[in-house]
Amino acid sequence: MLARCSRAASSHFFHQLRNNNNSKDAAFKLISHQSYAKAATAAAMAASPILSSQKVFPSNSVVNLDKMFRSKPCSLALAADSPLRIEEPEYEGIRRFVLKLLLFYSKQSKSIRGANVVYRRIVSQVDRPAIYEVFNLEKTFKMTFSLLVLHMWLCLRRLKQEGKEGVEFGQYIYEIYNHDVELRVSKAGVNLLLTKWMKELEKILYGNIVAYDAAMLPEAKPDELPKVIWRNVFSDDGTTEPDDTASQAIQAMARYVRHEASCLSLTDKEAMFSGNFMFTSLENLSSHARR
């Protein structure tokens, strides 16, 4: 039921964003003819237009999707000598004493710092051009948000394996995510009724999480995950059927999701709680899978 509500909310929130190439100023001129809610939606539409499904899946892709995401899963933890690692700062003497008094080294403070690193890993994967190039996607607000939710779910799913501690750590990540999404919505031009739209996006997040969890259950049908990905990421409204080009990209993303989920399961607790892991590099995969 929640998944269906999510799709309805998603369709409502993004419906007027599609196929609008006007500027922000032109969008705000519609206020006299629309409700404030519709005007806010139109502003977001002007900032990041959502294109039709035919444009989302270019037929001239140079990436052979059939070859991708078939490798054996492995841990995503960064090596001890990796320059990409983020280590806890170590201070000595009076500085360390003062920081201890300020609870800098408390469990909560460490968790918040770790959660910030984890979320930066998520954003790094979602904001890079490679993920859009590999799956033939237009970089729009809707698409970026859908991918952000997908990678949030991947991390939260892994953290649940750590029990109560993992769930609590995931809450810190969610709070950071929520603040980031609010900034992204505002940057897209939606400043009117911001709280309302944030609630709509929250429904979409939780609905998508329920749908992804169900699709990954052992008893789920093999085609359930591709169907969920089609509805949550690729489709504007979830009702139309994908064409051959879109189906190829959807199947590739389903393999990517299963691959990353398996890799995260192999990633140790320390790496997950410190953020010292990286999602599979799509830049490298793209370069090796070109026709």
Side-chain angles (χ1 to χ4, degrees):
M1 178 66 182
L2 184 55
R4 290 198 298 270
C5 290
S6 166
R7 293 198 298 274
S10 176
S11 177
H12 174 71
F13 183 78
F14 295 118
H15 175 66
Q16 293 193 33
L17 301 184
R18 190 170 57 244
N19 296 327
N20 189 318
N21 294 315
N22 296 328
S23 65
K24 284 185 182 180
D25 293 338
F28 281 114
K29 289 179 181 178
L30 297 174
I31 291 178
S32 60
H33 302 288
Q34 302 178 7
S35 68
Y36 279 115
K38 289 183 179 179
T41 309
M45 169 174 47
S48 59
I50 303 300
L51 302 181
S52 65
S53 58
Q54 287 77 13
K55 290 185 178 180
V56 169
F57 315 111
S59 60
N60 61 344
S61 171
V62 296
V63 176
N64 188 344
L65 291 171
D66 289 335
K67 293 183 179 180
M68 304 183 77
F69 315 114
R70 298 186 184 276
S71 60
K72 184 178 179 180
C74 60
S75 171
L76 298 178
L78 293 169
D81 60 348
S82 172
L84 298 175
R85 287 183 63 87
I86 304 294
E87 304 294 352
E88 274 285 299
E90 291 293 337
Y91 299 106
E92 300 296 336
I94 187 65
R95 178 178 290 185
R96 183 176 180 84
F97 176 75
V98 172
L99 289 174
K100 269 192 172 183
L101 291 178
L102 297 174
L103 303 180
F104 180 81
Y105 291 106
S106 69
K107 181 180 178 181
Q108 184 182 40
S109 293
K110 288 183 178 180
S111 294
I112 292 173
R113 288 195 293 276
N116 271 286
V117 178
V118 171
Y119 190 71
R120 291 207 301 271
R121 304 298 189 192
I122 293 172
V123 169
S124 176
Q125 187 78 342
V126 169
D127 281 347
R128 287 182 178 176
I131 196 167
Y132 302 91
E133 294 170 359
V134 166
F135 296 112
N136 307 319
L137 303 171
E138 291 286 343
K139 188 170 185 180
T140 63
F141 177 86
K142 174 188 180 297
M143 194 62 67
T144 299
F145 175 76
S146 300
L147 294 174
L148 191 61
V149 168
L150 176 61
H151 288 79
M152 276 286 293
W153 164 75
L154 282 168
C155 287
L156 295 177
R157 180 178 183 271
R158 166 61 183 89
L159 290 170
K160 282 196 297 184
Q161 298 174 15
E162 301 297 336
K164 182 181 178 181
E165 188 179 4
V167 173
E168 290 176 350
F169 184 73
Q171 182 62 33
Y172 291 122
I173 300 175
Y174 170 75
E175 291 170 3
I176 297 166
Y177 151 87
N178 209 42
H179 178 66
D180 178 51
V181 169
E182 185 172 340
L183 292 177
R184 288 172 184 260
V185 172
S186 296
K187 187 177 180 181
V190 178
N191 296 307
L192 302 172
L193 298 179
L194 179 60
T195 302
K196 172 188 174 182
W197 294 123
M198 289 301 297
K199 289 180 179 179
E200 294 291 339
L201 293 175
E202 186 176 32
K203 290 180 184 177
I204 296 169
L205 169 69
Y206 287 123
N208 283 10
I209 287 175
V210 170
Y212 287 132
D213 279 340
M216 292 290 280
L217 292 174
E219 61 269 25
K221 296 180 179 178
D223 64 344
E224 185 60 25
L225 182 59
K227 285 181 178 179
V228 171
I229 289 173
W230 162 249
R231 293 194 301 264
N232 291 347
V233 179
F234 287 81
S235 175
D236 285 336
D237 54 15
T239 58
T240 56
E241 292 296 324
D243 59 24
D244 291 341
T245 304
S247 295
Q248 190 181 33
I250 293 164
Q251 291 295 333
M253 184 173 285
R255 292 195 302 274
Y256 166 76
V257 168
R258 292 190 186 279
H259 182 269
E260 296 304 279
S262 297
C263 290
L264 285 168
S265 294
L266 297 172
T267 304
D268 62 88
K269 177 182 176 181
E270 188 279 330
M272 291 303 305
F273 279 68
S274 65
N276 283 317
F277 69 91
M278 295 285 288
F279 288 101
T280 300
S281 174
L282 297 177
E283 286 90 346
N284 293 340
L285 285 173
S286 176
S287 63
H288 288 306
R290 294 189 182 278
R291 293 187 178 118

